[in-house]
């Protein structure tokens, strides 16, 4: 249900992306010229693609704002919650098991691996998650509740 490399639509761009399937996948490769030709003939399909581009642009703007304004711990919690909704998260007795390295998580959060390792250690001390070899165990609802508490305004 997803696609990547919108850069292929700009002139002279070559795909430098790599996709890793975390579950069963069907991959369809379509040349940008072919897709553009089809979109010229099919207005409704063009409208769907335009909406998808707009949605992605908005998400990219929000992600960029989070990188600038949110601290690492906030970005870590948000990323864990997002990943808990993907096929990479396997249900477990106490929430989900996420198979991911500290390096991969650091890339997703936009922080150094060492920073993520420290943040994970702090979250372990708070009993918000457990770690194993390339695995994280956590309850997404507990993280959502923590996220809500952090968003509540402070009353004077």
């Amino acid at each position: 249900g997803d696609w990547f490399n919108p850069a292929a639509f700009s002139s002279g761009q070559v795909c430098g992306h790599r996709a890793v399937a975390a579950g069963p996948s069907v991959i369809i490769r379509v040349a940008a010229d072919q897709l553009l030709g089809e979109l010229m003939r099919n207005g409704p399909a063009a409208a769907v693609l335009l909406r998808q581009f707009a949605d992605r642009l908005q998400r990219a703007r929000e992600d960029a704002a989070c990188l600038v304004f949110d601290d690492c711990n906030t970005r870590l919690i948000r990323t864990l919650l997002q990943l808990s909704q993907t096929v990479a998260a396997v249900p477990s007795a106490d929430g989900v098991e996420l198979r991911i390295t500290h390096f991969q998580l650091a890339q997703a959060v936009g922080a150094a691996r060492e920073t993520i390792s420290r943040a994970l250690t702090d979250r372990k001390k708070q009993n918000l998650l457990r770690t194993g070899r390339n695995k994280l165990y956590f309850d997404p609802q507990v993280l959502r509740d923590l996220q809500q508490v952090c968003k509540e305004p402070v009353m004077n």
Side-chain angles (χ1 to χ4, degrees):
D2 205 358
W3 52 271
F4 66 94
N5 195 32
F9 288 105
S10 52
S11 58
Q13 293 293 321
V14 177
C15 179
H17 294 90
R18 186 181 95 182
V20 177
S25 302
V26 175
I27 299 171
I28 301 170
R29 182 178 174 183
V30 179
D33 291 341
Q34 279 182 295
L35 183 57
L36 287 172
E38 181 58 32
L39 293 174
M40 291 170 90
R41 292 184 291 279
N42 186 336
V48 168
L49 188 64
L50 182 60
R51 168 115 1 174
Q52 290 177 356
F53 271 126
D55 289 344
R56 281 180 172 234
L57 179 60
Q58 183 59 34
R59 277 196 312 272
R61 286 182 173 175
E62 291 167 0
D63 289 347
C66 289
L67 283 172
V68 172
F69 297 114
D70 290 348
D71 67 0
C72 178
N73 290 317
T74 302
R75 294 193 323 262
L76 173 62
I77 300 281
R78 181 180 299 112
T79 301
L80 290 175
L81 287 172
Q82 289 170 346
L83 292 172
S84 74
Q85 300 297 310
T86 68
V87 294
V90 178
S92 70
D94 55 352
V96 296
E97 172 187 313
L98 185 64
R99 296 176 185 173
I100 192 167
T101 66
H102 288 196
F103 180 74
Q104 292 167 326
L105 187 56
Q107 287 181 314
V109 170
R113 185 198 55 77
E114 295 82 2
T115 304
I116 292 302
S117 294
R118 274 193 306 270
L120 289 172
T121 298
D122 291 344
R123 302 299 77 76
K124 280 173 44 177
K125 288 178 182 175
Q126 294 174 315
N127 292 321
L128 295 174
L129 57 82
R130 293 183 299 112
T131 61
R133 182 131 181 96
N134 297 334
K135 294 179 185 177
L136 292 174
Y137 304 89
F138 59 93
D139 183 345
Q141 189 56 52
V142 170
L143 295 184
R144 273 188 216 94
D145 293 345
L146 176 67
Q147 195 177 41
Q148 289 303 319
V149 167
C150 293
K151 285 182 182 180
E152 291 177 1
V154 176
M155 303 299 278
N156 289 331

